[in-house]
Structure formats: structure tokens, C-alpha cells
């Protein structure tokens, strides 16, 4: 089998890249380890930057997002009893779109089906070959048989645990990592959201976030020690703890109900450089992980895909240099989103080694946001997404 671009991984990065390339007349094949139902069963974040929403429209998958998604003009940052609202529209003229990653993935699969794109699920033992030549190829096993696909390029969209990043020799990679000493316990519930906008809360008992998917589906998180197990958290215990961490002025509004999904995710910042190795290009979680506090994971995947798509279209249009700058361009944006995610994480969480000094720093940062339009503008620009 032969294709122009072989895409490893059928998560949001791989699907969006495939969709954009197919519409531009560039042939792709997507190799995914899991079944489609498994991919669609993952509950992930739900805030789309302005540029991500634009790219989805460009890919022809914006219709349901525009009909069912919720544009948000701002969010709240709470500190104990104080609530600071950052008005995105007033501060930087942009909004974000609240629309779940699961829905984005579903829309991409539907659009890919409609155009007859090639997706192969249930692949095993994917190996990338001859990446430093003009004729890379991929081998894999499916249903007990070995297969080979030849291509011009390989896009490594296979997430943090994928095979693509590991195909770059260790001595040619530089990794940067920060592990945070806590995780997020998340609950999805069929209940109306706490507020119309997201509330990020810094409380002496720990961080909490009140988010949503739509008018009847809410997503909540609380910071927990890494030693905690999800089985130890009953729904009641979760709601009690969440309520305790929200300002009194809004805690009374919380509507509780049975959890539909409950899980604990550790927080990590990670970048692997470069994002290109010969004919292999990494996109999304394969190259970097951000803590979820800034809502940047999916959005960084989208900007990587946007850069790679542009580069590939220019390459096939005859520009031999077009792909040379992919890694540098993508990494410049990645590091700025890393900085934002790290700074919001640091401002909003309780760290086991933080003392009174660090708490005062957090207070001062939140006070600055409350009192300075310039500080709110910087937050809003980063949250709604830097240009790409
Ligand atoms: N072969 C084939 N597929 C693989 C392999 C492999 N060796 N390893 C992993 N995969 C698949 C996974 O099953 C998964 O479906 O690659 C896909 C990667 O998807 P994600 O982990 O979702 O990563 P990405 O598409 O970059 O999405 C960006 O943004 O909100 C964040 O982490 C969140 O998933 C989100 C990410
Ligand atoms: C979510 O709704 O899952 C969500 C929203 C904002 C974040 C992280 C997660 O920063």
C-alpha cells in the first residue's frame, strides 16, 4: 500500500490533519491502535481557542460546533471568597468555544467517513522505517498479519505513549519535564453547570474547577494528592469537597447528581525537541503535554496540525523549503502555551512545599488580575489563544 502522508494515531491531531489534507487533495492513511469506540469513549477537555475553532471550520467540521457549542466571553478566577472575572471580549476582542473534545473527535470521524478517508484501527507493533530518506515506510501487524505502507511523510500523532517520538534516536532528542505533586480528580455529571462561565478556584483546601459541556452536562475537578485513588472518592465526598472549595457566593448554586465518569489524572509539563526528524513530524501529545489548567492540550495539537498542514500543502505545491521551519514554528508556540499553563497552575494550586511566601505571591497575582486591565489582557490573550 502507498499513501502520501502516513498518520500514526487517530486522536484529534491525526484526525484533523487527515481531514485538512484530504480536503486539499493530499492522500493519507490513519493507523490507530484502538477501536473507534474506544477513542470516542475518552472524556477530555472542552475549551477551544479562537484559532482552533477557525481551523475546525476550515476543515469543514465547524457546523455542529457552531450550532451546539457555547461561545464564552470570559471566566472567573476565585481566591477563597473573592471572584475576579476576566472578560475576554473586552480584554482582547476574542472568545473561546466550549465544545467537548469527544464531540470534536466524533465530528472529525463523521467527516472522514463522508469523504471515504482510509483509517485502519486495531494496528499492533507499528514501526517507522527509513525516516532520514525520501522513502520512509511503516510496518504494522493487524489480525495476525504483517503489513507495509510506503509514503512521502509520516505524521506522529500518536500521543504521549506512542511510538513516533521514540523513533527519534535518544541522542538527537532533548526532553524537558516537570511533574506536579498532585493530580485532578474529575467528575462528569448530568447536572446544570454551576455558572454560565468556567470558575477556576484557588482555595486553602486546594484547587477546584467548575466547567461544563452544555446546559445539562457539567464537568468538575478538584486537586488531590497523587496517592489518592478514584475508588476512595464517593460521589458524596467529591461534591462536599468541591462545595467547600468554591466561594460561598456560588457554592450554594451547585447542583449535584450521580457521576457519569470519575477519574484522576496527574499533572505534567513535557516537551520533546525537535518536533521533526527527517521525514517524521510530531504533532500534539506525541511531542508535548501541558497541565490542564490553561486548557491548552487540544489547542496546541490544533496549532501543530495547522503548521504541518500549511507546510505539506506548500511542499506539494513545489516549495521545497516549506517544511524546514515546522519544528521551530511549532515549538515557539508550544513554549508560550507551556509558560501560560505552568503559570496558571502555579497561581491556582496548593503545593505541598509552598509556605506563606508563595501563598502571598498567589494572592498578589490574583490581585493584579483584579486591579490591572493590562494583566487581564495578557491572561485573556493567552487563554483565548495566541495567533498561529
Ligand atoms: N500506533 C497507533 N496508534 C497509536 C499508537 C501506536 N503505537 N500509540 C498511540 N496511538 C493512538 C492512541 O490510541 C490515540 O488514539 O494515538 C492516539 C493519540 O491521541 P491523543 O492521545 O488524544 O493525542 P492527540 O491526538 O495529540 O490529542 C491531543 O489534547 O486535550 C489534549 O491530551 C488531550 O488527547 C488530547 C490531546
Ligand atoms: C474541561 O471542561 O474539561 C476543562 C476546562 C478547562 C480546563 C481544563 C478542563 O482548563
Amino acid at each position: 500500500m502507498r499513501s502520501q502522508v502516513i498518520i500514526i494515531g487517530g486522536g484529534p491531531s491525526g484526525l484533523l490533519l487527515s481531514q485538512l489534507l484530504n480536503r486539499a487533495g493530499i492522500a493519507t492513511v490513519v493507523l490507530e491502535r484502538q477501536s473507534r469506540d474506544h477513542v470516542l469513549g475518552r472524556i477530555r477537555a472542552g475549551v477551544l481557542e479562537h484559532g482552533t475553532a477557525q481551523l475546525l471550520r476550515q476543515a469543514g467540521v465547524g457546523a455542529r460546533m457552531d450550532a451546539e457549542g457555547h461561545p464564552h466571553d470570559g471566566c472567573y478566577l476565585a481566591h477563597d471568597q473573592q471572584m475576579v472575572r476576566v472578560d475576554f471580549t473586552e480584554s482582547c476582542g476574542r472568545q473561546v468555544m466550549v465544545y467537548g473534545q469527544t464531540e470534536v473527535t466524533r465530528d472529525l470521524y463523521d467527516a472522514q467517513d463522508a469523504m471515504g478517508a482510509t483509517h485502519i484501527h486495531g494496528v499492533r507493533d507499528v514501526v517507522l522505517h527509513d525516516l532520514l530518506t525520501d522513502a520512509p515506510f511503516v510496518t504494522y501487524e493487524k489480525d495476525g498479519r504483517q503489513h507495509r505502507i510506503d509514503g512521502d511523510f509520516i505524521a506522529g500523532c500518536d500521543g504521549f505513549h506512542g511510538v513516533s517520538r521514540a523513533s527519534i534516536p535518544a541522542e538527537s532528542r532533548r526532553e524537558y519535564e516537570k511533574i506536579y505533586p498532585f493530580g485532578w480528580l474529575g467528575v462528569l455529571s448530568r447536572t446544570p453547570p454551576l455558572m454560565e462561565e468556567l470558575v477556576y478556584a484557588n482555595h486553602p483546601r486546594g484547587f477546584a474547577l467548575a466547567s461544563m459541556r452544555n446546559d445539562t452536562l457539567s464537568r468538575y475537578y478538584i486537586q488531590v494528592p497523587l496517592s489518592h485513588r478514584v475508588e476512595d472518592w464517593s460521589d458524596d465526598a467529591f461534591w462536599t469537597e468541591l462545595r467547600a472549595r468554591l466561594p460561598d457566593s456560588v457554592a450554594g448554586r451547585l447542583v449535584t447528581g450521580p457521576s457519569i465518569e470519575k477519574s484522576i489524572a496527574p499533572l505534567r509539563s513535557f516537551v520533546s525537541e525537535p518536533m521533526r526528524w527527517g521525514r517524521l513530524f510530531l504533532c500534539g501529545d506525541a511531542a508535548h503535554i501541558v497541565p490542564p489548567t490553561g486548557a491548552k492540550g487540544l489547542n496546541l495539537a490544533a496549532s501543530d496540525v495547522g503548521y504541518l498542514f500549511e507546510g505539506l500543502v506548500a511542499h506539494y505545491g513545489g516549495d521545497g523549503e516549506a517544511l524546514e521551519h515546522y519544528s521551530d514554528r511549532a515549538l515557539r508556540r508550544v513554549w508560550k502555551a507551556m509558560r501560560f499553563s505552568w503559570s496558571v497552575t502555579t497561581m491556582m494550586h496548593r503545593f505541598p512545599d509552598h509556605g506563606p511566601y508563595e501563598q502571598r505571591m498567589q494572592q498578589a497575582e490574583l490581585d493584579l488580575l483584579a486591579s490591572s486591565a493590562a494583566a487581564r489582557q495578557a491572561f485573556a490573550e493567552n487563554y483565548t489563544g495566541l495567533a498561529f
Side-chain angles (χ1 to χ4, degrees):
M1 184 175 179
R2 201 196 137 72
S3 193
Q4 287 173 294
V5 181
I6 306 168
I7 299 174
I8 317 296
S13 302
L15 294 173
L16 180 56
L17 181 64
S18 180
Q19 175 69 10
L20 287 162
L21 290 174
N22 291 167
R23 280 167 65 94
I26 298 171
T28 64
V29 52
V30 176
L31 298 179
E32 167 59 52
R33 188 171 54 179
Q34 306 287 357
S35 69
R36 181 181 292 210
D37 284 349
H38 179 99
V39 174
L40 287 171
R42 298 184 189 131
I43 309 289
R44 296 272 172 87
V47 177
L48 307 182
E49 291 176 357
H50 169 83
T52 304
Q54 284 292 89
L55 193 64
L56 292 170
R57 291 183 191 109
Q58 186 187 339
V61 290
R64 198 162 71 93
M65 170 188 77
D66 283 324
E68 296 177 17
H70 292 254
H72 279 206
D73 278 330
C75 75
Y76 293 92
L77 299 170
H79 187 225
D80 217 347
Q81 297 306 326
Q82 195 196 355
M83 294 259 279
V84 179
R85 179 163 184 270
V86 180
D87 187 319
F88 304 144
T89 316
E90 181 187 283
S91 300
C92 72
R94 293 256 153 101
Q95 296 176 312
V96 291
M97 179 70 85
V98 170
Y99 188 64
Q101 179 172 320
T102 313
E103 304 311 316
V104 171
T105 309
R106 191 184 304 282
D107 294 344
L108 283 164
Y109 269 127
D110 289 349
Q112 287 275 279
D113 285 349
M115 66 169 66
T118 308
H119 291 202
I120 304 172
H121 283 266
V123 299
R124 293 277 169 268
D125 297 333
V126 171
V127 183
L128 316 187
H129 304 268
D130 291 1
L131 296 172
L132 296 180
T133 73
D134 289 350
F137 65 98
V138 174
T139 54
Y140 64 94
E141 193 227 282
K142 181 171 159 75
D143 300 332
R145 290 184 40 209
Q146 274 292 119
H147 301 265
R148 167 176 171 150
I149 307 181
D150 291 86
D152 299 331
F153 298 101
I154 299 175
C157 300
D158 48 353
F160 184 68
H161 300 288
V163 67
S164 298
R165 185 178 69 254
S167 303
I168 303 175
E171 62 276 15
S172 301
R173 260 187 284 141
R174 175 113 199 242
E175 296 188 347
Y176 302 82
E177 186 169 49
K178 180 172 178 62
I179 308 276
Y180 298 87
F182 39 74
W184 278 16
L185 168 62
V187 157
L188 187 70
S189 67
R190 204 160 293 291
T191 50
L194 177 76
M195 303 277 280
E196 279 178 12
E197 294 174 343
L198 274 68
V199 181
Y200 291 86
N202 175 329
H203 189 274
R205 298 178 69 92
F207 170 80
L209 168 60
S211 181
M212 67 214 54
R213 292 292 173 271
N214 57 47
D215 293 341
T216 56
L217 199 56
S218 297
R219 182 74 169 152
Y220 296 102
Y221 300 94
I222 56 172
Q223 170 189 350
V224 293
L226 285 170
S227 57
H228 282 205
R229 293 176 320 154
V230 72
E231 305 78 59
D232 301 332
W233 279 92
S234 67
D235 286 0
D236 278 350
F238 178 84
W239 294 122
T240 303
E241 188 59 36
L242 174 66
R243 197 179 283 111
R245 295 183 188 191
L246 295 170
D248 294 344
S249 56
V250 297
R253 304 165 57 125
L254 182 68
V255 181
T256 64
S259 62
I260 303 172
E261 194 261 1
K262 200 192 283 164
S263 53
I264 294 182
L267 268 67
R268 175 202 301 266
S269 297
F270 172 84
V271 183
S272 177
E273 298 182 342
M275 287 173 62
R276 174 197 180 170
W277 176 251
R279 291 262 165 162
L280 169 67
F281 295 83
L282 302 181
C283 291
D285 280 15
H288 41 73
I289 298 283
V290 278
T293 327
K296 293 282 163 251
L298 174 61
N299 292 300
L300 272 187
S303 56
D304 292 349
V305 165
Y307 291 137
L308 183 55
F309 168 63
E310 261 178 40
L312 287 167
V313 167
H315 171 89
Y316 284 112
D319 177 354
E321 299 285 294
L323 289 162
E324 292 303 317
H325 306 294
Y326 169 73
S327 182
D328 290 345
R329 278 183 90 191
L331 282 167
R332 284 189 69 185
R333 193 169 191 281
V334 164
W335 277 112
K336 281 180 274 194
M338 281 288 149
R339 187 208 66 80
F340 179 67
S341 307
W342 158 82
S343 92
V344 186
T345 302
T346 307
M347 176 171 72
M348 298 307 290
H349 289 76
R350 293 293 153 144
F351 288 69
D353 60 345
H354 275 187
Y357 177 84
E358 285 83 4
Q359 279 168 29
R360 281 285 194 242
M361 288 295 100
Q362 292 187 337
Q363 229 166 22
E365 286 225 40
L366 284 152
D367 222 19
L368 187 67
L369 281 163
S371 58
S372 157
R376 285 194 298 279
Q377 183 182 5
F379 183 96
E381 273 181 6
N382 280 278
Y383 193 89
T384 58
L386 300 174
F388 64 92

